[in-house]
Amino acid sequence: MKVSVSGTTVTLTGTANSWYQKEEAARIAWKTPGIWNVKNELEIDYEYFL
């Protein structure tokens, strides 16, 4: 996962292991003082075991 900041915008890129991880990363970014925008471009990478 990569986090970049430009002014008041945070961009999250890379992969997360679950939807929970993706959403949690965005929640943490939103709580950062001075951040007004979050671009959550994380992709979910998980495997199904049958």
Side-chain angles (χ1 to χ4, degrees), residues 8-23:
T8 59
T9 300
V10 170
T11 303
L12 306 172
T13 55
T15 57
N17 294 325
S18 65
W19 281 102
Y20 176 79
Q21 274 189 345
K22 178 177 179 169
E23 295 302 317

Side-chain angles (χ1 to χ4, degrees), residues 27-49:
R27 277 192 287 275
I28 291 168
W30 274 114
K31 290 184 177 191
T32 304
I35 297 303
W36 294 358
N37 299 299
V38 174
K39 295 180 183 178
N40 192 346
E41 299 174 358
L42 291 171
E43 294 183 12
I44 307 300
D45 181 26
Y46 54 90
E47 297 180 19
Y48 285 106
F49 294 100

